[in-house]
Amino acid sequence: MKKGIKVLLLSGLLGFSSTSFALSESEAEDLADLTAVFVYLKNDCGYQDLPDAQIRKALVFFAQQNRWDLSNYASYNMKVLGEESYRDLSGIAVSNDKKCKSLARDSLSLLAYVK
């Protein structure tokens, strides 16, 4: 009987630990924010030649560097989160030139890691 309880507890802990590392809501929002930055750079800052495949690789690289588990990525409506982030970013009351320079300075270096 004791062995059965240990197996039950162990399987419960393993089940809990595997779900506890799944992408959290705040991490999903962070990925959406970073996606919105790249979309903004492409649409509003003249970086339309940035390859989408390289951007996707950069997003995955970013998640991996933060040790985020993307196994439940599809459970979030990333399109809606990204659109909200893009609207928020577009609404920041800073000149577009300053916004573009800042976003490019802080984000484009991430693309260098995934060529």
Side-chain angles (χ1 to χ4, degrees), residues 5-113:
I5 292 173
K6 285 182 183 177
V7 170
L8 182 62
L9 288 173
L10 184 59
S11 65
L13 287 173
L14 290 175
F16 176 75
S17 67
S18 67
T19 58
S20 69
F21 291 110
L23 192 66
S24 70
E25 187 173 342
S26 67
E27 291 165 347
E29 289 172 355
D30 288 347
L31 275 179
D33 289 345
L34 184 56
T35 302
V37 166
F38 285 118
V39 171
Y40 191 89
L41 287 169
K42 285 184 75 150
N43 292 344
D44 300 283
C45 299
Y47 290 92
Q48 60 272 12
D49 293 336
L50 290 175
D52 290 341
Q54 191 174 4
I55 291 171
R56 281 190 291 276
K57 287 179 185 177
L59 293 168
V60 170
F61 176 79
F62 179 78
Q64 289 171 338
Q65 290 301 302
N66 286 292
R67 299 186 195 307
W68 294 347
D69 177 359
L70 297 176
S71 62
N72 67 330
Y73 178 87
S75 67
Y76 292 98
N77 191 338
M78 296 303 289
K79 182 177 184 203
V80 169
L81 289 174
E83 289 170 352
E84 290 171 357
S85 294
Y86 184 83
R87 273 193 305 277
D88 290 345
L89 185 57
S90 297
I92 294 174
V94 173
S95 74
N96 196 55
D97 186 50
K98 284 184 180 182
K99 198 181 311 184
C100 289
K101 285 179 183 177
S102 177
L103 293 172
R105 181 187 64 241
D106 294 339
S107 304
L108 291 178
S109 61
L110 184 60
L111 297 176
Y113 290 101

